[in-house]
Amino acid sequence: MKNENRRHNICNVEATNCQKCSVNGKLMCKFDVKDTIYFIIPVLSAWIVWVAGVLHGFITGGLNTLQLIFLFLSYIAYLAFFFQFWENKILCSHCPYYAFEDEKKVKCYANYGIYKAWKYDPAPMSRSEKIQFIISISIFAGYPLIFLLLAKMYIYFGISLIFSIIWIVSMHFLSCSKCPNFSCPLNVVPKNVVDDYLRHNSVMRKAWEEKGYIID
């Protein structure tokens, strides 16, 4: 029963009592593929426009072969580093989805399937980690846009920028407003919901209170 409960939620509440929980419907406490769809579609849309723009730039001579290869390889390398090591450490390792020691991969709406390269840390992110996250996510979103400008693909740049803004806005309302990784700089879960959740997660509550957090 314990293992079954762990597969269903990320707190002390038995899975059978989720409907009665005070944060039910207010947080993404259980993995649901629709949350991943809401999160990934705007990102994929921006990437598709970016790839189309870069390839168009290559065909029309805005980028040469060496630049094209460098662009794709460098960004792919950054994505691998970003997801598997950097973000994995500074952001994901603080999330309750990261807590299950018997599972080697993360099973959350945003980074499903990445390998857990670090030890779970239930305490909130440090100031340094928050600054690093802002830098890392800026590179993640800004790198493709810069190359569209270099390739002089201004229309693609504008469309990709619009999709990037849509992604940020959709995250704000559909993901960051319900994500249990509360210390993320983008998280906007109301404090009363955070407090309610921490009352249901004794490990995370202890770590947060040791860092000075006060539950109202």
Side-chain angles (χ1 to χ4, degrees):
M1 181 62 184
K2 180 179 180 180
N3 290 334
E4 184 68 20
N5 183 47
R6 285 163 66 84
R7 285 196 295 269
H8 280 80
N9 58 26
I10 50 176
C11 65
N12 302 336
V13 179
E14 293 293 334
T16 54
N17 293 326
C18 284
Q19 294 300 321
K20 301 177 182 179
C21 181
S22 61
V23 297
N24 182 47
K26 301 176 183 178
L27 285 178
M28 293 182 287
C29 300
K30 296 181 292 184
F31 174 76
D32 191 326
V33 69
K34 75 174 186 297
D35 295 322
T36 296
I37 293 174
Y38 295 151
F39 179 82
I40 201 69
I41 285 180
V43 180
L44 289 179
S45 300
W47 276 350
I48 290 172
V49 174
W50 171 62
V51 171
V54 169
L55 293 179
H56 190 183
F58 173 70
I59 294 172
T60 58
L63 291 172
N64 60 41
T65 302
L66 184 60
Q67 290 172 326
L68 182 69
I69 294 174
F70 173 77
L71 167 61
F72 280 110
L73 291 183
S74 60
Y75 193 53
I76 290 173
Y78 177 73
L79 291 180
F81 172 72
F82 173 70
F83 285 114
Q84 189 55 65
F85 295 101
W86 199 4
E87 185 192 41
N88 200 328
K89 169 63 175 177
I90 62 177
L91 178 70
C92 297
S93 66
H94 295 278
C95 180
Y97 274 109
Y98 210 89
F100 307 148
E101 295 179 356
D102 54 338
E103 296 179 354
K104 301 301 181 183
K105 295 181 179 180
V106 177
K107 294 182 179 179
C108 77
Y109 71 94
N111 289 328
Y112 192 96
I114 66 169
Y115 178 74
K116 295 179 182 178
W118 311 96
K119 183 179 179 181
Y120 172 55
D121 183 359
M125 296 170 65
S126 67
R127 179 178 298 179
S128 171
E129 288 173 324
K130 290 180 180 181
I131 294 174
Q132 290 180 63
F133 177 70
I134 294 299
I135 294 173
S136 67
I137 201 70
S138 297
I139 297 173
F140 171 82
Y143 190 92
L145 295 175
I146 292 174
F147 270 88
L148 286 176
L149 288 177
L150 293 176
K152 299 180 180 179
M153 293 289 103
Y154 302 121
I155 293 178
Y156 288 98
F157 170 83
I159 297 174
S160 186
L161 179 61
I162 290 173
F163 278 126
S164 297
I165 293 173
I166 291 174
W167 172 52
I168 294 173
V169 173
S170 66
M171 276 204 312
H172 178 84
F173 290 103
L174 299 177
S175 302
C176 300
S177 60
K178 293 184 178 181
C179 179
N181 200 348
F182 305 124
S183 60
C184 171
L186 303 180
N187 194 283
V188 290
V189 175
K191 186 178 185 302
N192 65 303
V193 178
V194 175
D195 290 352
D196 280 348
Y197 176 79
L198 291 178
R199 293 187 183 98
H200 298 314
N201 188 324
S202 56
V203 173
M204 195 168 167
R205 175 178 180 171
K206 181 176 183 294
W208 275 56
E209 289 183 330
E210 287 177 349
K211 293 294 183 179
Y213 186 83
I214 299 176
I215 296 179
D216 293 335

